[in-house]
Amino acid sequence: MEKTVKIAVIGGGPAGLAAAESAVEQGIRPDDILILERADKLGGILNQCIHNGFGLHTFREELTGPEYADRFIRKVREHQIPYLLKAMVIDISPAGMPGGTGLTVTAMNAEEGLVRVHAKAVILAMGCRERPRGALNLPGYRPAGIYTAGTAQRFVNLEGRMPGHEVVILGSGDIGLIMARRLTLEGARVRVVAELMPYSGGLERNIVQCLDDYGIPLKLSHTVVDIKGRKRVESVTIAEVGPDRRPIPGTEEEYTCDTLLLSCGLIPENELSSALGVQMNGVTKGPVVNESLETSVPGVFACGNVLHVHDLVDYVSEEAAQAGANAARFVLGEIAEDSAAPVTITAQDGVRYTVPSSISLNRMEDRQLIRFRVGNEYRNAGIRIEFDGKEFRTLKKNILAPGSMEQVILQKKDLEGIKGLKNITLRVVQY
Amino acid sequence: MKEIRNLTCIRCPMGCQLTVTLQDGAVQSVTGNTCPRGAEYGRNEVTHPVRTVTSTVRVEGGERPVVAVKTKTEVPKEKIFDVMQALNGLYVKAPVEIGDVLLEDIAGTGSSLVATAEDAAC
């Protein structure tokens, strides 16, 4: 199959769906868009996130994951935006359109075989995946019964199967916390959640409603030092770690269990982006983008968890809508010329990264959202915004935590007010 | 007797830090919330905590073996496992649409069990 469209959207999860809808609202004909989705359903990871708490920002009501996804799937169907399911994109290459412009997306599909899609713009919305055991350097045997939290979530919520009955969880990411509750409700005994860092990787609300509600202990500054069992997990030993994150001898505790779940971080899925030559950010493991969420390859935009891992899907939808609108403007020739020298944004002193990492004053809208995460827990702190090294404003924050995404909004008039502005710096300040 | 309880609101992922002040067991004030839902959570949590239960039930003749469900309204926290027991033995027939009521007055909570995902018959 060979097809020419204006915008190809890689991924039919929350980011891809919102981006496609937004492109239509910006004036692209639905026929000129194609969403390519690897799974047999639209909706992405939301389909297995059956817990509630989604959509309060977007819809002012509390939805479960599948309900939230359904709102966007309905819009895609209403607009009749074409999508291809079970389509695994294997390559994105430049110079796909006649005359050597645009991009070619190559995908595999069981019915269509090799699929080639030529597009003027591509929206990267592939999401992220979990850090697996092999990336964690866990000692011990390699028996059955070790899963990432998301795999266990898929087993229970989509396949109707239990991964085990006595469970230890390593890592306090949100999916691990949610699964601690889910497995408890289904009759398993979750013995402990161990977290290497001195703070939780997940949202405070999930510690309250998933662990505290069920009396599941959370052990901060602890990690797995041994896994026993040849065929199936028989026990997991955890130990306290010092400030150097190394286990402290003598603090080992052995938990008998048949299952170990890993909730140790998410990594944006960027093999396609890297192969295309998109410039990557070493901190987020996602593409470097400008104010329009455009990557270093013109016409290639990125949004959602492939860009940086979000805490709330509502923010993914919001960001994806922006990427979709900008891709539409790019295709329609409405996007302004880039400034000769964009304003760079530097993340410092506790601010780990920013998205975007540069702003073109020509292109920016009246308000520009800057999203970021901090690298530690701070109380009574602030985010200082500096224009060319001089304090512009400091925003007070009672609590800053690595598990929560933070944001500041910059006004175009403020940036234009500084003659020859070159750099904006964001840093954490302590009071 | 005056009592002060510090809570993390769980009504949305913002996780506001609430301070609930009680006088002889009665709620005097809730502060720290950014929306009315937070105030409601704070009042409920110190008097009669409630939760929405989300789970799955078995489907017959569907595309998948299970379909996602939730209690339509929040149920008393101490009833969570009663709700789980009530839905554990439940089988529904495909097709299932989002919003379908699968069980009324689950475990005597007065809340109904509704589907939160769809499953077309296959």
Side-chain angles (χ1 to χ4, degrees):
Chain A
M1 184 179 113
E2 191 128 4
K3 200 174 168 175
T4 300
V5 296
K6 295 221 162 63
I7 300 176
V9 181
I10 319 297
L17 293 170
E21 187 212 345
S22 170
V24 170
E25 278 168 7
Q26 200 61 38
I28 301 291
R29 282 180 37 210
D31 279 359
D32 285 330
I33 300 174
L34 180 64
I35 303 171
L36 294 151
E37 167 56 44
R38 170 169 72 181
D40 60 359
K41 263 181 105 164
L42 292 175
I45 206 68
L46 285 170
N47 288 324
Q48 69 182 56
C49 299
I50 65 164
H51 54 281
N52 61 334
F54 301 92
L56 271 167
H57 288 258
T58 314
F59 300 111
R60 303 265 156 233
E61 52 181 313
E62 202 171 326
L63 302 172
T64 64
E67 291 173 305
Y68 185 91
D70 185 64
R71 301 280 170 109
F72 286 88
I73 295 169
R74 273 171 200 277
K75 284 181 184 164
V76 164
R77 291 202 181 124
E78 270 166 35
H79 289 306
Q80 297 188 306
I81 300 172
Y83 55 88
L84 186 62
L85 300 175
K86 299 182 209 168
M88 177 78 190
V89 175
I90 52 171
D91 183 62
I92 308 169
S93 292
M97 308 284 276
T101 61
L103 300 126
T104 296
V105 177
T106 308
M108 292 300 298
N109 171 267
E111 281 114 53
E112 303 279 350
L114 194 69
V115 178
R116 278 189 199 283
V117 182
H118 307 292
K120 282 191 176 167
V122 168
I123 298 172
L124 306 173
M126 295 89 79
C128 60
R129 60 176 172 239
E130 297 173 282
R131 185 169 282 135
R133 178 181 180 180
L136 295 171
N137 271 331
L138 290 186
Y141 283 110
R142 308 184 141 273
I146 304 171
Y147 305 98
T148 60
T151 302
Q153 189 180 43
R154 188 188 160 88
F155 282 170
V156 179
N157 294 346
L158 294 181
E159 319 278 350
R161 290 171 191 279
M162 284 290 278
H165 301 287
E166 293 243 324
V167 185
V168 169
I169 301 178
L170 175 63
S172 58
D174 286 311
I175 316 164
L177 301 176
I178 293 285
M179 283 315 292
R181 174 178 63 181
R182 184 75 187 105
L183 291 170
T184 303
L185 287 179
E186 290 293 349
R189 180 168 168 232
V190 178
R191 304 209 51 190
V192 66
V193 177
E195 166 61 53
L196 177 69
M197 305 304 286
Y199 47 80
S200 163
L203 298 169
E204 179 71 21
R205 77 187 284 258
N206 284 335
I207 293 170
V208 172
Q209 64 179 351
C210 298
L211 301 187
D212 297 352
D213 270 8
Y214 300 93
I216 301 167
L218 170 62
K219 296 209 163 189
L220 298 174
S221 299
H222 278 71
T223 194
V224 169
V225 293
D226 196 18
I227 301 166
K228 288 204 179 84
R230 291 246 174 188
K231 287 188 173 159
R232 176 80 197 192
V233 174
E234 285 167 13
S235 79
V236 168
T237 305
I238 69 168
E240 194 177 344
V241 298
D244 58 357
R245 293 189 215 161
R246 285 176 188 279
I248 302 169
T251 62
E252 297 86 358
E253 282 174 280
E254 188 174 346
Y255 291 85
T256 54
C257 60
D258 57 17
T259 304
L260 172 64
L261 295 193
L262 306 171
S263 183
C264 302
L266 301 167
I267 306 160
E269 198 163 339
N270 271 299
E271 284 76 8
L272 291 170
S273 330
S274 301
L276 172 63
V278 163
Q279 192 193 336
M280 302 297 289
N281 179 319
V283 176
T284 58
K285 313 283 184 217
V288 171
V289 292
N290 63 20
E291 75 299 317
S292 308
L293 302 176
E294 190 180 20
T295 68
S296 62
V297 177
V300 178
F301 297 79
C303 53
N305 281 353
V306 81
L307 177 56
H308 57 137
V309 175
H310 293 60
D311 51 354
L312 297 201
V313 71
D314 298 72
Y315 298 149
V316 168
S317 304
E318 194 180 294
E319 184 177 272
Q322 199 201 337
N326 286 328
R329 284 188 203 109
F330 175 88
V331 166
L332 298 169
E334 290 170 3
I335 213 159
E337 278 291 304
D338 205 353
S339 311
V343 180
T344 56
I345 307 174
T346 310
Q348 270 195 347
D349 293 342
V351 178
R352 294 185 59 228
Y353 72 87
T354 64
V355 166
S357 51
S358 68
I359 297 177
S360 157
L361 288 179
N362 282 356
R363 283 183 174 185
M364 89 176 276
E365 299 189 31
D366 292 340
R367 288 151 49 90
Q368 175 75 47
L369 198 61
I370 311 289
R371 295 206 160 107
F372 60 95
R373 281 191 195 246
V374 296
N376 213 327
E377 250 187 9
Y378 301 94
R379 278 168 203 275
N380 297 320
I383 297 295
R384 188 158 79 197
I385 306 166
E386 297 169 2
F387 288 169
D388 282 338
K390 287 203 191 86
E391 178 177 350
F392 164 67
R393 189 167 291 161
T394 300
L395 305 165
K396 198 170 159 22
K397 300 273 181 183
N398 291 332
I399 296 181
L400 287 166
S404 301
M405 210 165 71
E406 297 290 335
Q407 61 177 52
V408 297
I409 292 169
L410 297 176
Q411 309 276 346
K412 186 172 188 169
K413 59 175 169 41
D414 293 330
L415 270 60
E416 285 176 337
I418 311 286
K419 212 172 156 38
L421 178 67
K422 286 189 179 64
N423 175 267
I424 298 166
T425 297
L426 260 58
R427 69 175 87 228
V428 177
V429 286
Q430 293 270 33
Y431 292 111
Chain B
M1 194 188 78
K2 196 171 169 175
E3 191 192 342
I4 291 177
R5 297 268 300 272
N6 293 309
L7 304 170
T8 301
C9 181
I10 62 167
R11 292 299 292 268
C12 91
M14 274 181 71
C16 293
Q17 299 295 313
L18 307 181
T19 304
V20 183
T21 310
L22 294 116
Q23 182 72 48
D24 301 321
V27 177
Q28 296 278 299
S29 69
V30 181
T31 56
N33 55 307
T34 37
C35 77
R37 302 164 61 89
E40 186 193 22
Y41 172 77
R43 275 194 303 274
N44 283 344
E45 195 62 12
V46 296
T47 49
H48 54 99
V50 290
R51 299 286 185 268
T52 298
V53 179
T54 61
S55 187
T56 54
V57 297
R58 301 262 157 204
V59 186
E60 277 173 20
E63 292 170 328
R64 295 206 184 274
V66 291
V67 69
V69 295
K70 70 176 178 188
T71 54
K72 191 164 185 181
T73 54
E74 291 171 315
V75 300
K77 196 169 145 183
E78 68 275 11
K79 288 269 191 184
I80 291 175
F81 282 96
D82 296 340
V83 168
M84 284 304 295
Q85 204 167 9
L87 63 82
N88 264 347
L90 190 65
Y91 272 81
V92 296
K93 279 197 164 58
V96 181
E97 293 284 334
I98 291 178
D100 282 359
V101 175
L102 305 177
L103 200 62
E104 301 272 10
D105 188 21
I106 185 163
T109 57
S111 185
S112 52
L113 188 73
V114 295
T116 56
E118 60 178 23
D119 194 335
C122 64

